[in-house]
Amino acid sequence: MSVIAFLLWLLLLVLCWPLAVLALVLYPVVWLLLLPLRLAGVVVEGVFALLTALIMLPARVLGGRR
């Protein structure tokens, strides 16, 4: 957790502690729900990197810029 997020959480705790406690409890649940989307993003990024490498392969073999 970054320092800014921690300070914002402390400010929320002072101003509205029930909402801060709810946010603290729901954070792991939201993180777990978003985990498949993160994994899908990693897979899509890997596929794009593979396609880029395949497209650039002839230029690299023929001695394109490095």
Side-chain angles (χ1 to χ4, degrees), residues 2-13:
S2 69
V3 174
I4 294 173
F6 181 69
L7 290 176
L8 286 174
W9 189 85
L10 283 178
L11 180 68
L12 186 62
L13 179 65

Side-chain angles (χ1 to χ4, degrees), residues 34-60:
L34 292 179
L35 191 59
L37 296 176
R38 288 185 187 183
L39 293 174
V42 168
V43 169
V44 168
E45 187 176 342
V47 168
F48 281 139
L50 177 66
L51 289 175
T52 302
L54 287 175
I55 290 171
M56 295 297 186
L57 183 62
R60 292 178 62 105

